[in-house]
Amino acid sequence: MKILVIADEESQKIWDFFRKEDYADIDLVISCGDLKADYLSFIATMIAVPVLYVHGNHDEKYDRTPPEGCICIDDKIYEFEGLRILGLGGSMRYSGGKYQFTERGMRKRVKKLWFQLLKHRGFDILVTHAPAYQINDGRDLPHQGFQVFIELIEKYSPKFFVHGHVHMTYGRQHKRCDKYKSTHIINAYERYVFDYEDDEMSPLKFGKIVGQQ
């Protein structure tokens, strides 16, 4: 299964120079936040696969005009062809926006997921806007990651953790791909494609990083 992940900055290649054949093998699109609603709607129309999203810290505008044809997975586990995808949008609270949270606030959101986590027996992909604490996050409060994401990874061992918020243009220290224990970590800034391989869904294998397209 080939998955396109996007976040934070609209890709000129997609937005201005879209070629349908470039995305013919994409099975799923996941947005990690802070993108224009029209951009997500455009992708949902042109690529014609499910487009999932979580809110970024600047996505209060979605409350007025949500992305058309897209699926919000904030605070839920969404299943797609056997994959369990958990969404937790928002960033660390720094100015009081709707999609900003303290560590305690994010923990309360996670706690409310207990039944879904029990029902689905965990998850395969964790999708967030903010990074995890001290894994390629920023030291400034707005870009600091959440400790509870680390705890989720340690407890449930998802194959992938995909986030945005930390732009690759911020500096060399921010990696596109990393790994924590057995979980592959991807910064979805602008656009990235990875392959979640499965052996007829039993058992699921680790995904193979395909690279930017």
Side-chain angles (χ1 to χ4, degrees):
M1 183 184 300
K2 194 167 285 189
I3 301 174
L4 168 64
V5 292
I6 53 179
D8 300 301
E9 184 174 312
E10 290 75 23
S11 168
Q12 190 176 38
K13 181 174 181 180
I14 296 175
W15 195 235
D16 297 321
F17 304 107
F18 182 85
R19 297 195 316 160
K20 195 173 184 68
E21 58 269 29
D22 291 340
Y23 305 94
D25 57 351
I26 296 297
D27 300 296
L28 180 67
V29 177
I30 300 175
S31 168
C32 294
D34 281 356
L35 292 168
K36 295 177 181 177
D38 288 349
Y39 180 67
L40 296 190
S41 300
F42 172 82
I43 291 173
T45 300
M46 300 304 290
I47 301 183
V49 299
V51 177
L52 314 181
Y53 71 90
V54 296
H55 291 85
N57 52 300
H58 298 300
D59 285 338
E60 293 184 25
K61 55 188 178 292
Y62 286 7
D63 295 348
R64 300 185 299 274
T65 310
E68 295 182 2
C70 303
I71 302 166
C72 180
I73 61 168
D74 256 328
D75 302 299
K76 65 186 68 171
I77 296 175
Y78 180 87
E79 287 206 17
F80 175 74
E81 296 188 6
L83 291 185
R84 303 159 298 172
I85 305 168
L86 170 59
L88 285 166
S91 73
M92 189 65 72
R93 181 178 294 275
Y94 62 92
S95 66
K98 179 177 180 180
Y99 297 109
Q100 296 176 28
F101 304 89
T102 61
E103 179 71 41
R104 183 179 180 183
M106 186 61 75
R107 286 180 180 276
K108 285 183 178 179
R109 293 174 64 191
V110 171
K111 189 174 182 179
K112 291 178 181 179
L113 293 168
W114 71 269
F115 182 73
Q116 292 189 61
L117 289 165
L118 180 66
K119 177 183 176 182
H120 293 277
R121 292 183 294 178
F123 53 94
D124 303 299
I125 303 177
L126 174 60
V127 177
T128 69
H129 180 62
Y133 182 64
Q134 291 191 343
I135 300 182
N136 304 316
D137 63 348
R139 291 298 82 218
D140 59 313
L141 181 61
H143 296 97
Q144 185 173 303
F146 289 96
Q147 177 66 38
V148 71
F149 294 166
I150 296 288
E151 295 169 15
L152 280 170
I153 291 170
E154 290 178 343
K155 183 173 182 178
Y156 294 99
S157 299
K159 302 297 187 294
F160 282 93
F161 168 41
V162 186
H163 69 85
H165 195 49
V166 181
H167 298 203
M168 298 295 295
T169 53
Y170 286 169
R172 284 184 166 182
Q173 72 274 19
H174 298 300
K175 300 177 183 178
R176 170 68 79 181
C177 300
D178 207 343
K179 195 172 183 181
Y180 180 74
K181 296 188 181 296
S182 62
T183 299
H184 295 279
I185 300 172
I186 298 174
N187 185 336
Y189 172 72
E190 190 181 354
R191 71 187 189 278
Y192 198 78
V193 175
F194 70 96
D195 194 4
Y196 195 116
E197 295 182 356
D198 68 284
D199 186 11
E200 297 180 350
M201 299 309 295
S202 181
L204 290 171
K205 299 188 296 184
F206 287 111
K208 178 177 64 179
I209 302 297
V210 175
Q212 188 144 330
Q213 294 191 355

